[in-house]
Each structure stands twice: as C-alpha cells, then as structure tokens.
Amino acid sequence: MIKIAVCDDDKRFCLVIKDYLEAQVYELKIQGKVEPIYSGSDLIERFEEFSLIFLDIEMPEINGLEVYDTISKFSGDSELPYIAFLTCKDEMVFEALKKRPLTFIRKSDYKEDILYCLKKLIDKAETPFEYYLKEGRNTVVLKVKDIEYIEKDKNYLFFYTTKDKYRERGTVADIEKKLCKCCFLRLGLGCLVNPIHIQEITTNEVILQSGKHLLISRKYRAKLKSDYYGWMVDNVG
C-alpha cells in the first residue's frame, strides 16, 4: 500500500489533485491511498506516513522548500519520502532543483505531469535500495545511495562510501548488471560512479560532494557527460 499526500494551502486545487491522483492510481493498478493536507506544518508532523508527497512550493507560514529542509533534518539517516514539487512559477524551479526532487508538477499541466510522476515512482520502486556484498566469509549490506563509486583492482571490486571501503571479487561488467537500474556511470574501464554523489564534472575529473576527485578516461568523457545530463533530466523531471 502506497500512501500519497497532497500538500497545498489552496484547498480547491488540493482536492482536484487528490481526485485525479486517485483515478490514476486505480488505472495503473497501484494499491494506494491519497490524502489532502493543507499546511506545511501539518505535513511535517505526519511526513513519515507517506511514500510520496506532492508538495506546493508557495505556501504561507512555511513554504515547500522550508518544509523539505525540515523533513530532511528530522529524517536523519532514514529514507525520505519521494517529493514532487507543485509550482505555477518557473522561477521557483531553480532553487527547488537543489533538493533533487522526484519531479515537478506544473499546475497548469498537472494531468500529464502526474501520470509521468506515478510511472517514475513505479520504476524507482523496482530499483534496489541495498547491495549485498560478499567480503570474504562475511556479507555486508550497503545502501546503494551510500556508495560513492566502485573501482576495479585486479580481481577485486572496491566499493567506496563516504566513510568506509569494502571489497569483493568480481568484474565491472558483473556489477553493472546487478546495479543496472541504479544508473551508475562509467568513468573508465575499471570505474563506476554513483551520479547522486557528483558535485561537478570538469574536462578530466569528476568531483564528488565529499571532495574526492576521480579521473575520467579520455575515451569516456563525452559519453559520461551525456549520460549524466540524461540522468539529471530524468531525476528532476
């Protein structure tokens, strides 16, 4: 059962979105429940109940971006619900992009955007959240979102997170198949990077949010930038 919240201070529009969502959830054969919420403060108290939140950016008292920041703070290391921002002003989109939402819903064209969002949610639901790594006789459970990059050295794959390093026997081709839905990007024959950790791509390097610098093979430079752009487009709607 997927619980979906629509948070908008405009009660009329909130109910319009709720009714349309319920119809689409039924058409897509998703087991889900949609609930309207009319203030950011009420959503903050209940955000843990929901898997997907449609969140209006412009609201009195506390706006959607502030709600998102508060939810992130309260969540700690827990998984955040998927957020889809509602907006009628294009200039608000650029600031909201920094939050890496599931997508944006343009109030002027909400029907098309909501259908796209729900299909995107189904795709993400099929994406593995964890990777079970065999390190010797031990099994280590890594959250995919915590893996910064994977690097091959001889017969081993090294998995780098912001805090630790792990290794298991394997090939880059094998790990690409296992994590194919997670969109890891190739930097070279022996290196894959998780795009959610990329801060910047220069001519020769990928700079991660942790400050690490990874070299890009000349052969992969053009494809990496193209793949990263495609990932960005897909992940911000």
Side-chain angles (χ1 to χ4, degrees), residues 128-135 139-150 158-161 164-168 179:
F129 288 104
E130 296 176 333
Y131 178 73
Y132 290 80
L133 179 147
K134 292 290 292 182
E135 192 171 50
T139 299
V140 180
V141 182
L142 295 180
K143 291 184 178 179
V144 173
K145 70 179 182 64
D146 290 339
I147 301 171
E148 289 187 305
Y149 65 102
I150 303 167
F158 288 85
F159 294 72
Y160 292 84
T161 69
D164 297 296
K165 179 174 74 171
Y166 306 88
R167 75 171 190 174
E168 72 172 357
L179 297 177

Side-chain angles (χ1 to χ4, degrees), residues 32-46:
K33 179 181 179 182
V34 186
E35 186 168 344
I37 296 177
Y38 303 118
S39 75
S41 56
D42 287 345
L43 177 63
I44 288 169
E45 292 180 2
R46 301 182 52 200

Side-chain angles (χ1 to χ4, degrees), residues 11-12 44 103 171:
K11 292 186 179 182
R12 185 195 64 80
I44 288 169
T103 191
T171 66

Side-chain angles (χ1 to χ4, degrees), residues 209-220:
Q209 293 169 6
S210 63
K212 297 175 184 176
H213 290 237
L214 305 175
L215 288 175
I216 307 169
S217 168
R218 181 176 297 181
K219 177 182 176 181
Y220 285 88

Side-chain angles (χ1 to χ4, degrees), residues 200-207 213-214 216 221 224-225:
E200 181 184 355
I201 297 179
T202 68
T203 303
N204 303 313
E205 291 182 322
V206 165
I207 302 171
H213 290 237
L214 305 175
I216 307 169
R221 287 174 191 168
L224 171 68
K225 291 180 179 180

Side-chain angles (χ1 to χ4, degrees), residues 25-220:
V25 164
Y26 177 80
E27 288 292 326
L28 293 170
K29 298 181 179 178
I30 299 171
Q31 288 190 323
K33 179 181 179 182
V34 186
E35 186 168 344
I37 296 177
Y38 303 118
S39 75
S41 56
D42 287 345
L43 177 63
I44 288 169
E45 292 180 2
R46 301 182 52 200
F47 75 90
E48 292 176 313
E49 299 175 24
F50 302 102
S51 304
L52 172 62
I53 298 171
F54 290 87
L55 179 58
D56 186 24
I57 294 179
E58 289 189 284
M59 292 188 291
E61 297 182 11
I62 179 168
N63 68 39
L65 302 182
E66 293 168 332
V67 170
Y68 181 95
D69 289 339
T70 303
I71 288 174
S72 298
K73 182 180 178 181
F74 287 168
S75 294
D77 293 330
S78 301
E79 291 288 342
L80 277 174
Y82 289 118
I83 303 289
F85 282 120
L86 294 163
T87 182
C88 59
K89 293 187 177 180
D90 291 342
E91 61 267 23
M92 301 293 293
V93 169
F94 298 105
E95 187 63 27
L97 277 171
K98 299 175 184 178
K99 312 299 180 183
R100 295 187 182 274
L102 178 66
T103 191
F104 291 95
I105 306 297
R106 299 162 294 175
K107 289 188 175 183
S108 61
D109 198 13
Y110 68 87
K111 292 184 178 181
E112 179 181 340
D113 289 350
I114 281 177
L115 184 58
Y116 169 77
C117 180
L118 289 174
K119 289 180 178 178
K120 196 170 182 180
L121 179 65
I122 293 170
D123 288 341
K124 284 187 173 291
E126 295 174 351
T127 301
F129 288 104
E130 296 176 333
Y131 178 73
Y132 290 80
L133 179 147
K134 292 290 292 182
E135 192 171 50
R137 295 183 178 180
N138 299 320
T139 299
V140 180
V141 182
L142 295 180
K143 291 184 178 179
V144 173
K145 70 179 182 64
D146 290 339
I147 301 171
E148 289 187 305
Y149 65 102
I150 303 167
E151 197 167 46
K152 186 179 185 301
D153 185 10
K154 297 179 181 178
N155 296 322
Y156 287 94
L157 293 170
F158 288 85
F159 294 72
Y160 292 84
T161 69
T162 53
K163 297 179 181 179
D164 297 296
K165 179 174 74 171
Y166 306 88
R167 75 171 190 174
E168 72 172 357
R169 282 186 173 272
T171 66
V172 173
D174 287 340
I175 199 64
E176 272 191 313
K177 290 178 183 176
K178 292 177 182 177
L179 297 177
C180 63
K181 286 185 174 288
C182 301
C183 299
F184 277 69
L185 307 177
R186 279 257 194 175
L187 300 186
L189 286 174
C191 188
L192 299 169
V193 66
N194 191 341
I196 67 173
H197 289 285
I198 293 177
Q199 179 69 37
E200 181 184 355
I201 297 179
T202 68
T203 303
N204 303 313
E205 291 182 322
V206 165
I207 302 171
L208 302 183
Q209 293 169 6
S210 63
K212 297 175 184 176
H213 290 237
L214 305 175
L215 288 175
I216 307 169
S217 168
R218 181 176 297 181
K219 177 182 176 181
Y220 285 88

